[in-house]
Amino acid sequence: MIGLRFGLMTLLLAVLALTGLPVAAQTPGAGPHIRMELIPETSRPAPGQEVTLAFASVPEEGWHGYWQNPGDAGIPTAASWTLPDGVTAGDLRFPVPERLMIAGIMNYVYEGPYALLATLRVPENAAPGMRLPVAVKLDYLVCTLEFCVPESAELATELTVGDGAVPGDRRARFDEWRAALPRPLGAQGSYQVNGDAFRLEIPYPADAEAEDPYFFPITDGAIDYSAPQMVARDGDRLVIETGARGAPGAIEGVLAIDEHRGFVLTAGPGNVAPAPAGAAAGGERPFAWQTALLAFLGAVLGGLILNIMPCVFPILSLKALSLAKANAGEGNPRREALAYAAGVILVCLVLGGVLLGLRAAGASAGWGFQLMDPRVILLLLLLVVAIALNLAGLFEVAAPGFVNRAATHGTGSSFATGALAAFVATPCTGPFMGAALGAALVLPWAAALAVFGGLGLGIALPFLLLGFVPALRRRLPKPGPWMGTLRRILSIPMFLTALALAWVLGRQAGVDGMTLGLSAALLAALALWWVGRRQQRGARRQWAPALPLLLLSLAAVAVVRPAPVEAEQALASGAEPFSEERLEELQREGRPVFAYFTADWCLTCKVNEKTVIETQGVRDALAAADVAVLVGDWTDGDPVLGRFIERHNRAGVPLYLWYAPGADEAHVLPQLLTQAMLRDLAARDAAS
């Protein structure tokens, strides 16, 4: 095959020369024409751990490298490793390629910067501090439209056995490179050869995004590479018709759904019905109004339920006080309700827009993505501490200027309260919300933003009803001295929220980060106490002396950083860290598997774990049925877990999956678990 490809390239050069193109007048010039750098994801892999190496490659302008199946011409990159004893290297993994047609010959190439990835496994008996020199020789072909030059690159790096910590900047680069790798589709296709025609059927959801889909075959000899591909969408399948070259049995390939994303799939021979006439072709994607509407309604219902979740309820206390005043004729309840709703919806739209932007850039972010950053957690901690101290009566908010004028009419404070409620709601999810936000990620931008807006509408709905329905408002108690007592009582859940945020900060930034956060909170509290004392004395410029202390406490937000990832994290008794390999192994053993995905900043997750999963009754039931428990910790936004979660149409955690013995597909459990639910599932599988 290699000889044939060299022959084709030689023939191509001859044709170009005969057609008078300026081939002979040009020379390849001094190489290398692809600049390569070998980068390990971590320089300190832990014993028994895998470490990913990247071949960061930048072709010279006008030159290109080749994919694992180069197409009609070219040679794939080959690696020859020199490794220490016990260290093994996996196959090279290639990102989704580009198409390059030259004089009727199809090439699968990379014309811009790209990275091949390879995985090394460090032996479990490697001693900490042991040096692991790694060398590799890459042989590859690099071409212009006129020239092809075989090149080699000899690269080396040295690893030291350590704790497996990944630097933050390195993690971001590898996330970007991994995002360009094709992901497993999770469903097998089928193909049919009829004479010179090849028809491929790929299971693919009707409302899933696919822009200019194209099938890159990894298996050689199945299709005519240079033949055009006709793509049609027919319900939940993609049908691709092109020229046949043979029927080699099962084939493997990559379905590209846009310029940089794709899915790896396998297909076996079978009967494939043609797509009906008039089916949407190529990159046209039928807009599923029904899906968008259902997702919107699910988001509204999910947002409505969020109001009773532990991370939102403390904020509602602020609005409860202001609405109670409306019974005495104070304020304008309709205007306040609209301002509150505007604050909630605006924050949901902004967070949803940023989330969609991150995913469009290749990140595997989900709902609550901002809470993966300890700086956001510390900012929330300071904010919640200030609110709690305000409710406790330590000081009064007296903002100057336009803020005061807006607050006088109720709109400024209502808007800010709504924005705050939406922001702190992100650690929580509830029924209907996960599926709705998961669907939003595959909808067009406008429809997706409408779903996020629906989530905000659901959160604001109770106050909109109270603001616009006087009969409901009259059911609220009359204002009186009790409001002061209630206000101080309601500071308790806010202090508890601050405590929870400090714990999350400690999990993300370590003991040093938590100490920094608590110090900043103490500094802010002292500043606010000083303000309160000046307010009680009626002093002028009550905030001025305390402003430097407040600014100093805020400066901690810029300093706090994530702590290195621990090699092993504490898990509930009997549970194992989740990996797809371990899941497959357990399924082959025929054991029932309960896999759940959590994060330290996800309060819903923690409530489920403490009240359901980690209770003795559930543990005993799972143990009696020999149920394997796998835990996926998404606290740091692990892109591998993110992609697995995404395959189950979820935008984030919690996600609970139950695999019955012998079942290939998981049963997705609700986001609010009960002990009876898990006990019944365990008993069912134990009896089967």
Side-chain angles (χ1 to χ4, degrees):
M1 191 65 202
I2 292 175
L4 173 62
R5 286 169 178 157
F6 267 127
L8 285 170
M9 294 305 295
T10 303
L11 177 62
L12 172 62
L13 294 177
V15 170
L16 293 173
L18 290 174
T19 54
L21 293 178
V23 176
Q26 299 182 20
T27 58
H33 299 290
I34 295 183
R35 187 176 71 253
M36 287 190 180
E37 184 181 5
L38 181 60
I39 304 173
E41 187 170 19
T42 172
S43 299
R44 299 180 56 81
Q49 187 187 54
E50 291 183 342
V51 54
T52 302
L53 303 184
F55 297 93
S57 307
V58 182
E60 188 178 328
E61 184 175 357
W63 295 77
H64 57 261
Y66 284 88
W67 188 48
Q68 61 193 112
N69 178 356
D72 284 321
I75 299 176
T77 300
S80 300
W81 295 91
T82 303
L83 300 171
D85 291 340
V87 177
T88 58
D91 295 334
L92 292 176
R93 290 180 289 165
F94 293 74
V96 178
E98 310 160 39
R99 287 169 277 165
L100 179 63
M101 185 76 84
I102 305 175
I105 295 177
M106 175 61 77
N107 299 262
Y108 298 144
V109 302
Y110 303 105
E111 294 185 289
Y114 64 101
L116 309 183
L117 301 184
T119 302
L120 301 187
R121 174 166 283 279
V122 179
E124 293 186 359
N125 58 358
M130 178 181 178
R131 297 185 180 280
L132 302 174
V134 174
V136 59
K137 180 186 178 188
L138 291 185
D139 294 304
Y140 57 92
L141 188 69
V142 57
C143 298
T144 68
L145 297 181
E146 295 88 15
F147 294 105
C148 284
V149 179
E151 290 186 349
S152 295
E154 296 187 2
L155 306 168
T157 186
E158 183 173 90
L159 309 175
T160 302
V161 179
D163 57 2
V166 179
D169 58 337
R170 199 74 61 84
R171 184 187 299 276
R173 293 188 74 183
F174 274 78
D175 283 352
E176 184 178 349
W177 288 327
R178 285 196 178 95
L181 295 176
R183 296 167 291 173
L185 182 62
Q188 182 169 323
S190 57
Y191 74 90
Q192 181 177 356
V193 175
N194 187 8
D196 295 334
F198 176 94
R199 183 183 301 136
L200 173 65
E201 177 184 81
I202 302 172
Y204 199 74
D207 53 1
E209 185 179 359
E211 182 180 349
D212 190 19
Y214 186 89
F215 179 67
F216 291 95
I218 296 176
T219 305
D220 192 22
I223 70 171
D224 182 353
Y225 301 136
S226 57
Q229 294 188 6
M230 306 300 294
V231 185
R233 303 194 66 156
D234 177 26
D236 288 329
R237 66 174 191 149
L238 272 172
V239 179
I240 300 176
E241 296 188 12
T242 186
R245 182 173 285 174
I251 62 174
E252 187 180 12
V254 169
L255 171 69
I257 58 170
D258 63 23
E259 192 174 355
H260 300 293
R261 293 185 302 159
F263 295 95
V264 178
L265 64 102
T266 58
N271 295 320
V272 178
E284 296 180 7
R285 181 160 64 95
F287 185 81
W289 285 103
Q290 299 89 343
T291 301
L293 182 59
L294 285 175
F296 177 80
L297 294 176
V300 172
L301 192 54
L304 182 62
I305 296 174
L306 269 185
N307 283 289
I308 60 172
M309 301 300 279
C311 50
V312 183
F313 183 75
I315 303 300
L316 301 186
S317 61
L318 300 175
K319 282 311 297 175
L321 293 175
S322 66
L323 285 172
K325 292 178 182 177
N327 282 339
E330 296 181 30
N332 186 324
R334 293 187 177 184
R335 186 181 296 170
E336 285 192 43
L338 287 175
Y340 177 85
V344 173
I345 294 173
L346 180 63
V347 170
C348 287
L349 288 175
V350 170
L351 291 175
V354 174
L355 173 59
L356 293 173
L358 289 173
R359 295 180 69 88
S364 59
W367 184 247
F369 63 93
Q370 73 280 9
L371 300 177
M372 299 173 186
D373 191 330
R375 291 170 295 188
V376 176
I377 296 296
L378 178 51
L379 184 63
L380 265 176
L381 171 63
L382 296 176
L383 189 59
V384 169
V385 166
I387 294 172
L389 293 175
N390 174 256
L391 287 174
L394 190 70
F395 72 101
E396 298 297 331
V397 177
F402 72 94
V403 176
N404 265 344
R405 290 192 292 274
T408 301
H409 299 293
T411 54
S413 62
S414 296
F415 180 88
T417 305
L420 181 64
F423 192 62
V424 300
T426 48
C428 280
T429 58
F432 309 102
M433 185 178 155
L437 297 187
L441 299 180
V442 298
L443 289 172
W445 271 71
L449 285 177
V451 173
F452 286 108
L455 176 66
L457 178 62
I459 297 174
L461 204 52
F463 293 105
L464 286 173
L465 290 174
L466 286 172
F468 282 83
V469 181
L472 292 177
R473 211 164 51 247
R474 282 194 291 271
R475 293 179 178 272
L476 294 175
K478 301 291 184 183
W482 62 269
M483 293 178 64
T485 303
L486 177 62
R487 173 177 158 171
R488 284 160 177 75
I489 292 174
L490 289 176
S491 69
I492 296 174
M494 296 304 294
F495 281 119
L496 293 177
T497 302
L499 189 63
L501 288 168
W503 178 80
V504 174
L505 184 63
R507 295 279 292 177
Q508 291 184 343
V511 174
D512 292 346
M514 185 170 67
T515 303
L516 177 67
L518 291 175
S519 301
L522 177 61
L523 198 60
L526 287 173
L528 295 174
W529 170 79
W530 193 359
V531 171
R533 294 281 295 174
R534 290 176 61 81
Q535 287 175 336
Q536 291 173 4
R537 294 199 303 267
R540 300 181 59 187
R541 298 179 179 177
Q542 300 157 351
W543 286 80
L547 276 179
L549 291 179
L550 291 173
L551 292 175
L552 188 59
S553 67
L554 285 173
V557 175
V559 176
V560 69
R561 289 289 182 272
V565 178
E566 297 179 3
E568 294 185 1
Q569 296 184 354
L571 296 174
S573 176
E576 303 176 54
F578 174 86
S579 72
E580 294 188 60
E581 293 77 13
R582 181 57 180 155
L583 174 61
E584 292 174 0
E585 185 179 346
L586 291 168
Q587 287 181 294
R588 284 196 298 272
E589 294 175 2
R591 291 181 62 184
V593 179
F594 173 49
Y596 67 92
F597 300 84
T598 180
D600 288 342
W601 41 262
C602 170
L603 296 185
T604 305
C605 306
K606 296 305 168 190
V607 170
N608 279 329
E609 288 161 27
K610 297 303 178 188
T611 61
V612 179
I613 299 173
E614 296 176 7
T615 57
Q616 194 59 47
V618 170
R619 285 181 177 176
D620 292 345
L622 296 178
D626 195 26
V627 178
V629 180
L630 300 180
V631 183
D633 189 338
W634 205 44
T635 300
D636 62 350
D638 180 1
V640 176
L641 284 183
R643 287 190 286 274
F644 185 86
I645 293 169
E646 182 183 340
R647 290 210 299 274
H648 293 81
N649 296 321
R650 289 292 186 270
V653 289
L655 172 65
Y656 304 104
L657 303 175
W658 187 279
Y659 294 85
D664 293 332
E665 299 296 329
H667 174 47
V668 181
L669 304 182
Q671 292 179 318
L672 292 181
L673 299 176
T674 65
Q675 296 184 29
M677 183 189 304
L678 295 183
R679 287 198 302 265
D680 291 347
L681 285 169
R684 182 201 65 184
D685 288 347
S688 63

